[in-house]
Amino acid sequence: MKPLSLNQLYKVCVLKDLPFKTTRNLEPLAEIVGQNRAQSAVRFALAMPHGGYNVYAVGRPGLGKRTMMLRYLEHHADLEHQIHDWCYVANFEEPRVPKVLKLPAGKGNELKQDMDKLMTRLMKMVPQTFDSDGFLERAEQLKNGVAKKQEDELEKVAAQAKRKKVSLNITTPGGYRLVAMNGDEPHTAESFQALTEAQREKFEKDINKLEKNLRQALRKIADWEQEYAEAQQALNEETLESISGEQIEGLIAKYADQGDVVSYLKAVRSDLSESLDIFLEENEEQAAIAYASLDKKTPRRYLVNVLVHQKTEDVPVVVEDNPTYHNLFGYVENVTFKGTVFTDFSLIRPGSIHRANGGYLLMDAIKVLEQPFVWDGLKRALRARALQINSLERELTLSGTISLEPEEIPLDVKIVLFGDRETWMLLQEYDSEFAELFRVTADFENEMMRTDESQVLYAKFIASLVDEKKLLHCTNRAVARIIEHSARMAEHQDRLSLHAADIANLLRESDYWARQAGAKLMGHNHVDQALESAEYRSSRIRDQFYDSIRDGTTLVTTSGSCIGQVNGLSVLSTGGYEFGLSNRITATCYYGDGGVMDIERDVKLGGNLHSKGVMILSSWLSAHFAVMDPMHLSASLTMEQNYGEVDGDSASLAELCALVSALAGLPVRQDLALTGSVNQFGEVQPIGGVNQKVEGFFATCKLTGGLTGSQGVIVPLTNVQNLMLDQQVVQAVRNGQFSVYAVTNAKEAITLLLGKPAGEADDKGRYPKQSVFGMIQQRLEKMREHERQEHSRDDSRDPSIH
């Protein structure tokens, strides 16, 4: 068999396919490259006006889901979408239920400033005006007028009483008493008793009549008191109107198209005269609370709490990195004053969902699910399409203190959750409401096809990252090197990795090395330096394994030949860094029932997939050598010097070759290593980590005596498209020091390793005598013949047969 050619080991990015000299000549992409499916889903979801079309973005971390979403929204957000400011103001009729005001974008702060100006004017003018001579004189006139009428009315009753020899006395404030008089002195009980019956009856009759007159007079006095209060209120209102009327009328005219605001301003006008004390008395408590809550010393009753203020006309796009209950849904703050906990509508604080109302809210799904009560609260808000600010204490029912119940705010928001596929599947399975509220799944690709057109697109994607991160621009050779590395990350010659975070990190590190060297552009050498540096930082564990190979602690043979011993290949991962290692796989055979003992499985070091691979080998052996007669050779398999759990079936081809070598008694070439899994028909199936495995055996050969030129690796033919080997390996192949072979079935691998043809069976199932399978067949036949002779000998000795 011929080894693979150089262009099969590494697909170079040809510079003529990149029509630019540096990324400075490229127009940066507005979106993430290669995510057409996800972009289509997002476009559909954001265009749907109906509820429930929220987005769950599926994909592993680092694919640029958030970046793509933000860029898309930046360029494609609905500009016709109406956005609003939201304010809370006092409800003068029901203080525990603050009213919500909806204003056009930017008008919330304007209303707050207008109200602040009005209140500042009133705080200054009200005390001055109500303490002025003019106001006090008019108030005094009102008071004196009503007092005179009251006195005259009482005088009238007193005069009537005097004519009847009865005195009208004031007992308590507002209390009156009619007393019969004995000359100038009131009658005592004795003197009254000394009067005649007729005199006493006359006094009682007169007093009863006077009492009726007094009651009528007192009713008039009460009415006059009420009239005075109303007149005083009217005077107050008239005075307030002279101070604030023009300003309030101006505000009503200014906000004439905002019905809610006009109603609020009218309510303020009505409430001002009833709350004059706020302006006339020096209220230390209000000042202290204002200081504690970081507010101005404005009457809190008339504050405008701007919950959401849109600074621009752009549709809001909010990213919530810490979606706790309060951060998301808002809360009501408390202020402590002299040991008393105080709150009011001005202490209502918004959450990120308030700021995103009318736009888009982006969050991480796992963070949302980790926070108590957040997921249920989010679903409740999306179902009701309304935002209700409830304190978490009330959710937990831990507190029965008086709290506010602000009016709910209509909710019009699109939620975008970022998460992995496992979380998405769990939500689909266990939350019946999830599919109703998140009807659109944006499925992000891990890879894209590598074509001449897509390479140019990828170059523009690199240019956009350079622009965004403020890095040095790249030469076309640097871009070509990054594209080649991306294909290696994707583990496919004709695909490119879409893991944007890894590419961004590579660019940052390449930029660092370029700046260290004083270069004005990032070159391919800086990219290589960044890759080497990253590998060096992560390769301590690998180097320890290599040291054990170098000093002979790990037994590996890369020359000569040996029966039943094969160099298998494995991949180890240490926190994101993967490397390949050579493993010695050995097989022994002995007289038995034809079974294959998997030592790894029996000692519980083999995983399910590994055990499945060994069982397939047993089936393959039986199908080839025990179709008509039993096999009398059993075998045992193991990975030598393996002290941890092993899983996967990528060693099954190597195990099969070790078994065949042991059964045939033919030595295996130790200068070749192989990887691949086999099915029951002996077809070689693809495996993962092929680049690391080839490079692992290449490093092993260098560590154990150097390259001889005969060494190489056998891989499945279906894995050739995955080869993007390290330049050291490619150079060694170019120099004829190393080879990579590709096989499609087990027979080809056996022929390469054992140096003899595996053999093809004829119509009678016989293999050529000099073939590998023919030698196994002959050995098994000898054993069967020996078995028959032993049975015949035993039968001749048994008297019961005769």
Side-chain angles (χ1 to χ4, degrees):
M1 289 184 65
K2 289 185 178 180
L4 297 176
S5 61
L6 287 171
N7 61 356
Q8 290 176 293
L9 304 180
Y10 190 90
K11 186 174 180 179
V12 177
C13 180
V14 184
L15 291 181
K16 71 178 179 61
D17 295 334
L18 301 177
F20 59 90
K21 289 194 178 296
T22 72
T23 50
R24 194 181 282 115
N25 309 129
L26 293 173
E27 185 69 29
L29 279 182
E31 283 120 18
I32 296 295
V33 67
Q35 299 294 0
N36 297 333
R37 190 192 309 272
Q39 284 190 26
S40 174
V42 171
R43 188 181 300 113
F44 167 74
L46 301 188
M48 282 295 283
H50 307 289
Y53 285 88
N54 299 294
V55 181
Y56 190 101
V58 181
R60 63 191 183 100
L63 288 176
K65 300 188 292 294
R66 180 181 297 191
T67 305
M68 190 217 83
M69 198 66 65
L70 289 171
R71 283 187 185 169
Y72 182 84
L73 291 174
E74 182 183 341
H75 292 89
H76 301 93
D78 185 3
L79 297 177
E80 297 178 2
H81 207 75
Q82 291 293 318
I83 59 172
H84 301 93
D85 284 358
W86 298 95
C87 306
Y88 273 115
V89 293
N91 185 341
F92 303 120
E93 295 176 2
E94 185 57 60
R96 290 189 63 231
V97 187
K99 285 185 173 293
V100 68
L101 298 182
K102 173 183 172 184
L103 293 100
K107 290 287 184 181
N109 263 5
E110 207 172 311
L111 176 62
K112 178 180 175 63
Q113 289 166 7
D114 288 339
M115 286 300 295
D116 285 348
K117 285 177 186 174
L118 174 63
M119 289 304 119
T120 303
R121 174 179 170 80
L122 291 179
M123 288 179 71
K124 181 181 179 183
M125 295 296 294
V126 167
Q128 289 180 359
T129 306
F130 280 75
D131 201 32
S132 65
D133 293 341
F135 176 80
L136 292 174
E137 186 178 331
R138 291 181 66 186
E140 192 66 29
Q141 285 174 357
L142 284 175
K143 188 175 182 181
N144 291 341
V146 75
K148 178 133 186 3
K149 287 167 74 174
Q150 290 172 336
E151 287 173 9
D152 290 348
E153 189 65 25
L154 286 173
E155 263 316 310
K156 195 186 293 182
V157 175
Q160 291 173 355
K162 192 172 183 181
R163 288 197 293 272
K164 304 289 186 181
K165 295 184 180 179
V166 176
S167 173
L168 178 62
N169 297 333
I170 298 174
T171 55
T172 58
Y176 299 93
R177 184 181 176 192
L178 292 165
V179 180
M181 299 296 289
N182 182 12
D184 293 334
E185 296 293 328
H187 270 292
T188 62
E190 293 80 9
S191 64
F192 189 76
Q193 199 60 38
L195 295 174
T196 64
E197 179 83 19
Q199 286 174 322
R200 286 200 301 271
E201 285 180 359
K202 185 176 184 305
F203 265 123
E204 286 176 1
K205 185 178 177 183
D206 290 342
I207 287 172
N208 285 339
K209 188 175 181 182
L210 287 168
E211 277 182 346
K212 287 181 182 177
N213 293 342
L214 178 61
R215 281 197 293 273
Q216 288 175 356
L218 290 175
R219 277 197 292 271
K220 285 182 180 179
I221 288 170
D223 290 343
W224 290 332
E225 280 286 352
Q226 181 62 35
E227 286 174 12
Y228 167 70
E230 290 172 359
Q232 184 64 50
Q233 180 71 14
L235 176 60
N236 290 347
E237 288 177 5
E238 181 188 334
T239 307
L240 272 171
E241 188 69 18
S242 68
I243 302 169
S244 62
E246 188 178 340
Q247 203 166 344
I248 291 178
E249 280 300 327
L251 292 179
I252 289 174
K254 180 178 179 178
Y255 296 98
D257 56 339
Q258 304 297 319
D260 290 347
V261 178
V262 170
S263 300
Y264 168 66
L265 290 170
K266 289 179 178 177
V268 168
R269 173 185 271 171
S270 303
D271 188 70
L272 278 172
S273 57
E274 297 173 11
S275 307
L276 264 178
D277 293 348
I278 293 174
F279 301 97
L280 295 176
E281 296 177 6
E282 187 66 33
N283 195 326
E284 291 182 9
E285 181 178 340
Q286 286 286 333
I289 291 169
Y291 178 78
S293 58
L294 308 177
D295 279 332
K296 294 179 181 177
K297 192 182 171 183
T298 309
R300 305 187 68 78
R301 192 174 180 81
Y302 305 111
L303 283 172
V304 174
N305 180 7
V306 182
L307 201 69
V308 177
H309 170 57
Q310 307 290 358
K311 295 179 182 177
T312 66
E313 292 291 328
D314 296 335
V315 175
V317 178
V318 178
V319 178
E320 180 53 74
D321 289 318
N322 184 24
T324 62
Y325 191 89
H326 284 166
N327 284 358
L328 196 59
F329 299 109
Y331 55 99
V332 182
E333 287 180 339
N334 295 313
V335 174
T336 303
F337 176 70
K338 291 185 178 179
T340 303
V341 178
F342 167 87
T343 190
D344 68 6
F345 73 93
S346 67
L347 296 174
I348 299 171
R349 300 293 176 250
S352 50
I353 199 165
H354 292 94
R355 291 189 291 273
N357 199 4
Y360 311 97
L361 178 61
L362 284 59
M363 296 183 290
D364 183 85
I366 291 179
K367 289 179 181 176
V368 170
L369 294 169
E370 283 175 345
Q371 296 293 338
F373 304 100
V374 168
W375 180 242
D376 284 336
L378 184 64
K379 291 190 294 182
R380 189 163 56 243
L382 290 174
R383 278 197 313 270
R385 306 194 76 171
L387 278 173
Q388 182 76 49
I389 295 181
N390 290 321
S391 65
L392 194 55
E393 291 79 3
R394 291 181 65 186
E395 289 277 353
L396 295 167
T397 64
L398 295 177
S399 170
T401 56
I402 293 174
S403 185
L404 303 178
E405 295 179 6
E407 281 187 355
E408 62 183 24
I409 296 174
L411 180 64
D412 176 23
V413 70
K414 293 281 187 183
I415 306 288
V416 180
L417 289 182
F418 303 109
D420 54 35
R421 192 169 301 279
E422 290 74 21
T423 305
W424 176 72
M425 292 174 72
L426 286 170
L427 286 168
Q428 289 276 11
E429 182 72 23
Y430 294 107
D431 192 333
S432 57
E433 295 172 311
F434 175 73
E436 282 298 308
L437 295 173
F438 290 85
R439 292 188 177 133
V440 178
T441 303
D443 203 343
F444 279 71
E445 307 277 359
N446 292 321
E447 299 161 2
M448 66 183 284
M449 296 305 294
R450 181 183 176 185
T451 63
D452 292 347
E453 293 78 15
S454 67
Q455 287 187 159
V456 175
L457 267 179
Y458 208 81
K460 290 181 179 178
F461 161 61
I462 291 169
S464 66
L465 286 175
V466 166
D467 268 9
E468 183 185 327
K469 314 293 182 191
K470 309 295 184 204
L471 307 176
L472 293 175
H473 280 281
C474 304
T475 64
N476 56 357
R477 290 188 68 189
V479 171
R481 183 67 187 90
I482 293 170
I483 287 173
E484 290 166 3
H485 177 69
S486 178
R488 179 181 167 93
M489 286 167 56
E491 294 189 352
H492 201 292
Q493 292 180 352
D494 295 319
R495 291 189 189 146
L496 295 171
S497 169
L498 293 176
H499 202 275
D502 285 350
I503 300 300
N505 290 338
L506 176 57
L507 284 168
R508 287 191 194 97
E509 292 176 26
S510 303
D511 175 81
Y512 168 79
W513 291 113
R515 291 181 191 275
Q516 288 289 100
K520 294 183 179 179
L521 291 169
M522 268 190 270
H524 70 283
N525 54 322
H526 302 126
V527 177
D528 284 331
Q529 196 171 0
L531 291 170
E532 289 167 11
S533 173
E535 182 179 1
Y536 179 73
R537 292 194 303 270
S538 307
S539 59
R540 185 182 68 82
I541 305 296
R542 181 202 67 182
D543 290 346
Q544 285 186 342
F545 277 102
Y546 284 179
D547 288 342
S548 70
I549 293 171
R550 187 184 290 108
D551 61 24
T553 307
T554 298
L555 302 177
V556 181
T557 308
T558 58
S559 60
S561 59
C562 185
I563 295 174
Q565 178 175 297
V566 175
N567 286 318
L569 297 168
S570 62
V571 173
L572 273 71
S573 178
T574 57
Y577 175 69
E578 294 183 342
F579 59 94
L581 276 180
S582 179
N583 301 95
R584 178 178 285 180
I585 296 172
T586 58
T588 57
C589 63
Y590 44 87
Y591 184 80
D593 59 1
V596 177
M597 183 177 74
D598 178 13
I599 293 176
E600 308 296 331
R601 180 186 63 208
D602 291 355
V603 298
K604 295 184 172 54
L605 283 179
N608 295 334
L609 294 178
H610 180 264
S611 300
K612 177 186 176 184
V614 175
M615 292 172 79
I616 288 172
L617 296 189
S618 302
S619 300
W620 183 88
L621 282 173
S622 299
H624 277 74
F625 304 114
V627 176
M628 304 297 291
D629 294 300
M631 282 180 65
H632 294 294
L633 274 176
S634 292
S636 64
L637 271 173
T638 188
M639 285 190 176
E640 303 291 354
Q641 292 186 287
N642 172 49
Y643 307 109
E645 187 171 334
V646 59
D647 201 4
D649 62 350
S650 65
S652 56
L653 178 60
E655 289 168 335
L656 185 147
C657 291
L659 277 173
V660 168
S661 169
L663 290 169
L666 290 172
V668 178
R669 287 177 61 182
Q670 299 300 295
D671 54 0
L672 290 178
L674 76 163
T675 181
S677 72
V678 290
N679 60 22
Q680 293 190 104
F681 301 109
E683 294 171 329
V684 179
Q685 302 167 145
I687 44 81
V690 65
N691 291 298
Q692 289 81 2
K693 289 176 177 178
V694 174
E695 290 160 7
F697 188 67
F698 175 79
T700 301
C701 292
K702 290 178 69 177
L703 292 167
T704 54
L707 300 174
T708 62
S710 65
Q711 295 151 332
V713 173
I714 300 170
V715 300
L717 182 65
T718 45
N719 275 124
V720 171
Q721 61 188 353
N722 306 116
L723 290 173
M724 286 295 290
L725 294 172
D726 185 81
Q727 286 304 306
Q728 285 190 37
V729 181
V730 175
Q731 189 58 44
V733 172
R734 184 179 284 113
N735 297 338
Q737 298 173 298
F738 197 77
S739 302
V740 179
Y741 300 91
V743 295
T744 57
N745 56 63
K747 291 179 181 178
E748 293 177 357
I750 290 167
T751 301
L752 263 171
L753 284 172
L754 274 63
K756 284 182 178 291
E760 290 289 340
D762 58 19
D763 296 340
K764 297 179 181 179
R766 305 290 302 172
Y767 291 103
K769 289 186 177 181
Q770 294 304 311
S771 68
V772 176
F773 292 170
M775 296 171 77
I776 295 173
Q777 198 172 46
Q778 291 170 63
R779 185 178 182 187
L780 290 172
E781 286 173 350
K782 286 180 183 177
M783 296 190 75
R784 289 173 188 138
E785 181 62 30
H786 177 73
E787 182 78 9
R788 281 194 289 271
Q789 289 175 1
E790 285 295 319
H791 277 300
S792 299
R793 197 175 294 118
D794 291 341
D795 290 346
S796 65
R797 292 174 185 162
D798 190 346
S800 64
I801 295 175
H802 304 289

